[in-house]
Amino acid sequence: MHATQAIKAEFEKVFGDGKKGRVHVIRAPGRVNLIGEHTDYNDGLVFPMAIEPQVIIACRARADGRVRLASTAFPGQVVEFSVEQTIERGEPAWANYFRGVAAELEGAGIPLTGMDALIENTLPVGGGLSSSAAIEVGTGLAFLTLSGVEMDRDRLALICQKAEHEYALVPCGIMDQMIVATGKAGHATQYDCRSGAKQFVKIDPNDLRVVIVNSMVRHELTGGEYAERRRQCEAGVAFFQQQHPGAGIRALRDVTLKQIHEAEGKLDPVVFRRCRHVVSENHRTAEAATALAQGKYERAGQLMVESHRSLRDDYEVSVAELDFLSDEAMKVRGVYGARMTGGGFGGCIVALVQPRAVDALKAHLEKVYPAKFGIKPMAFATTATAGASVVE
Ligand code: GLA
């Protein structure tokens, strides 16, 4: 059965049949970041694309302001709240993304209609492919659609990011919500997190495939490391502002590679390495997007490998499993580049590969990874998809 039909059938099982009004279906994709990691909250550049695994939400308006929410991942649970009362965080935790987006939309002055909604998620939770951003943006679109409100996608992304901060308590940057809300089919987006400028770069599946390999090690961004990295970056900004008063440094985005080199030995060594990662990663990201646009795949791949090393050694957000998968991927002929993707501490690697190398890469990693770590990885190729949309 087609995915849309299947979720509608499931929706009717949970909430009763269709006489009560039209059931809409919303799709919100996950994302993979090709390069530009831990740069978004430093006003820098990122280069993600939306992917095939996705969140689907079936929803139907209610006239009484109530929201009843179910998830195929938690059968039997129905979470209830009202858009006419203050929306608080609460148990179960999975519903907080939904509550958060509803609360932030209302906070932004949007009057909301209640709804029955069923969420289905084909993204690995804690897999670093932004299942949370997909749920948030999908929720936002569901409320906007049923409430008959049009909203600019960039604004929706910002509202969803705020929901993640305040209801999921993860101090994330803007990359995930932005790409889930605005991704363009067939393209990766180089996004400037300061100016908001987007540059779309075609990923032609005849030339290039994007392979994602899940290490099956779950990451937890609420674990404190992410917030700690953000604080270290802020400490770096304070140092460079003091060293270069009048240079207009507002974020690590404004620090040059020369200033980084001059800071060695003067700045706390850990903060120094964190800053060196961010500043060099911005350069790599700009160059990689240009290289990909010009079909210089080897160069783009090399920059991904350098990005991984920098994340491993300077930013220290990789783990042995991600290092191993990236190194082993590079041993396969036809792989241009591989690196960890997303926040780190588990999750996935992403590889750029020639189409004919996809099967060889999967086969190799499915052999060597379990032999070393005793875990079966999950590997798949994906095209670049469009951002979230109302399917029906
Ligand atoms: C997580 C965050 C993003 C970004 C990445 C690292 O995915 O949600 O905002 O900071 O980590 O690049």
Side-chain angles (χ1 to χ4, degrees), residues 21 28 68 106 110 135 137 140 168 199 251 254 266 303 323 326 332 339 357 388:
R68 290 195 303 158
E106 290 200 318
I110 316 276
I135 294 173
V137 174
Q199 188 197 328
D254 304 311
K266 293 190 210 153
L303 290 160
D323 296 342
S326 307
V332 178
R339 56 180 286 276

Side-chain angles (χ1 to χ4, degrees), residues 31 33 36-41 46 128 130 164 170 172-177 219 221 226 342-344:
R31 68 96 185 90
N33 190 19
E37 219 66 84
H38 290 278
T39 45
D40 60 354
Y41 51 84
V46 293
S130 286
E164 174 106 18
V170 176
C172 64
I174 189 60
M175 168 169 71
D176 305 344
Q177 290 79 9
H219 80 144
L221 288 185
Y226 189 86

Side-chain angles (χ1 to χ4, degrees), residues 311-332:
L311 287 158
R312 182 191 66 194
D313 302 335
D314 274 358
Y315 219 64
E316 296 180 282
V317 290
S318 189
V319 289
E321 289 86 345
L322 296 174
D323 296 342
F324 181 82
L325 284 171
S326 307
D327 288 348
E328 288 296 324
M330 291 311 295
K331 293 181 185 165
V332 178

Side-chain angles (χ1 to χ4, degrees), residues 359-380:
D359 291 339
L361 174 61
K362 285 204 258 181
H364 179 65
L365 296 181
E366 277 163 7
K367 190 177 94 201
V368 294
Y369 188 70
K372 170 106 177 155
F373 292 101
I375 325 168
K376 207 169 152 330
M378 197 188 71
F380 61 96

